[in-house]
Amino acid sequence: MATHSFVSCSCYVAFFFLTISKGILGSTFTFKNRCDYMVWPGILSSAGSTPLDSTGFELSPGESRSLQASPGWSGRFWGRTGCTFDSNGQGSCATADCGSNQMSCNGAGATPPATLAEFTIGSLSVSGSVSGSSTLDFYDVSLVDGYNLPMAVDASGGSGACGTTGCVTDLNRMCPPELRVGNGQACKSACEAFGNEEYCCSGSFGSPDTCRPSVYSEMFKSACPRSYSYAYDDATSTFTCTGADYTITFCPTSTSRKSSTDPSTGTTTNSPPMIPRAPVLEDDPNGSSWLPSFTIGGSTRQIPDNALVLTLISFIVLHFFQL
């Protein structure tokens, strides 16, 4: 009987530590380049986050690379294109350049227009809670700063909704002339193109009640329904998961350089995968955005999710008392 109880308890303890281990270790980000051209991922960690091992690197077609993020990490990723670097690693990029004059971005963000993947990774202590933290990961793909290449984010090994998000449509081919960059290398946001408060959700339009979708953001939303199209596009654009690893794929449908810059090429041979519209989440009763703050890390709305862990702890303690 004692042996049986010991084995049973050991199983519970093992299960408990497996449950919390992802929260202790953080998340692994894997970058994949399915474009038929070179992409240079850029990385910006938010203030207070432990920096990743790289802030920018080269990714050849078909190549992948993984980086480990600590619990509570917050930041953003993007893909630079048309880059030229000399033997000393100095140079610049045609789209989404970070202005560092180097392959590493060194704390600098992307110059719009740029397709952005934004993350806040949850935190979890052995006791099951961290003051002021959430066990949930928040993530999204944003077109608020414009668009330069297709991108998808997939979660694996996590629990919860853990939806796939991104923008797999080639917006460069459907970009209006007034937003187009150069020969179609990228597509500006209306805010960057025109600079008025209504498009930028600033000034008298700086709240969810006063800043509404524009004809331009609605075009982005129609093409990429799970991506952020304007600043307060929270309901169908922010996703959550617990204890997951994430894959960021550039050109998930193998979009070619020609099709992304030449509107006359027609449709591509690879049809984009169907990404259904995200379920509409409950609005904040206070009317405020609950998108994680990527400038300071964390979330503007704390979402407790420790019930499972606390239940497991209680079950283990009760089991010990029964031995």
Side-chain angles (χ1 to χ4, degrees):
M1 180 65 68
T3 302
H4 174 76
S5 298
F6 176 78
V7 172
S8 177
C9 186
S10 297
C11 291
Y12 293 137
V13 172
F15 179 71
F16 168 70
F17 279 106
L18 284 173
T19 302
I20 67 171
S21 62
K22 286 298 296 180
I24 295 173
L25 297 175
S27 296
T28 299
F29 293 112
T30 299
F31 302 86
K32 293 184 177 180
N33 180 12
R34 290 186 179 173
C35 306
D36 60 5
Y37 52 89
M38 196 84 73
V39 174
W40 288 261
I43 300 169
L44 176 64
S45 298
S46 300
S49 293
T50 302
L52 304 189
D53 288 341
S54 176
T55 61
F57 53 91
E58 181 180 274
L59 206 60
S60 300
E63 188 179 4
S64 64
R65 178 172 174 178
S66 296
L67 297 173
Q68 183 70 31
S70 60
W73 183 87
S74 178
R76 54 178 53 181
F77 308 117
W78 64 95
R80 296 168 287 173
T81 65
C83 303
T84 302
F85 295 102
D86 60 24
S87 57
N88 296 319
Q90 295 186 325
S92 61
C93 303
T95 73
D97 186 55
C98 53
S100 65
N101 195 38
Q102 295 178 348
M103 191 177 300
S104 297
C105 288
N106 298 326
T111 301
T115 313
L116 301 173
E118 303 175 307
F119 289 85
T120 292
I121 301 301
S123 299
L124 182 65
S125 72
V126 175
S127 63
S129 64
V130 175
S131 177
S133 299
S134 170
T135 61
L136 287 172
D137 301 342
F138 293 85
Y139 58 101
D140 70 82
V141 169
S142 174
L143 308 177
V144 175
D145 285 347
Y147 170 99
N148 71 319
L149 84 172
M151 179 191 291
V153 173
D154 295 285
S156 61
S159 60
C162 302
T164 294
T165 186
C167 184
V168 301
T169 303
D170 188 355
L171 291 182
N172 289 333
R173 297 180 56 217
M174 58 188 298
C175 186
E178 60 269 30
L179 303 184
R180 189 176 301 154
V181 174
N183 294 321
Q185 293 94 337
C187 190
K188 295 179 181 180
S189 67
C191 174
E192 183 191 2
F194 307 116
N196 61 44
E197 293 182 349
E198 183 177 1
Y199 290 140
C200 296
C201 292
S202 60
S204 59
F205 293 91
S207 73
D209 294 330
T210 57
C211 189
R212 310 305 301 169
S214 68
V215 63
Y216 297 106
S217 67
E218 287 180 341
M219 178 198 73
F220 284 4
K221 194 67 176 179
S222 177
C224 299
R226 285 198 161 198
S227 296
Y228 260 83
S229 59
Y230 77 108
Y232 295 108
D233 187 16
D234 292 9
T236 59
S237 307
T238 302
F239 295 82
T240 59
C241 192
T242 300
D245 294 321
Y246 298 93
T247 299
I248 298 95
T249 305
F250 302 108
C251 303
T253 59
S254 302
T255 303
S256 69
R257 179 193 298 273
K258 185 176 182 181
S259 68
S260 66
T261 60
D262 185 359
S264 67
T265 58
T267 58
T268 59
T269 56
N270 295 316
S271 299
M274 295 299 294
I275 297 182
R277 184 180 296 274
V280 177
L281 303 176
E282 219 174 59
D283 289 335
D284 189 327
N286 297 321
S288 62
S289 169
W290 60 279
L291 174 68
S293 172
F294 295 104
T295 57
I296 60 173
S299 171
T300 57
R301 173 176 166 186
Q302 302 303 328
I303 304 179
D305 191 40
N306 297 326
L308 175 61
V309 175
L310 292 175
T311 300
L312 286 170
I313 293 172
S314 300
F315 188 79
I316 292 169
V317 171
L318 288 173
H319 187 80
F320 271 116
F321 276 116
Q322 291 174 358
L323 292 179

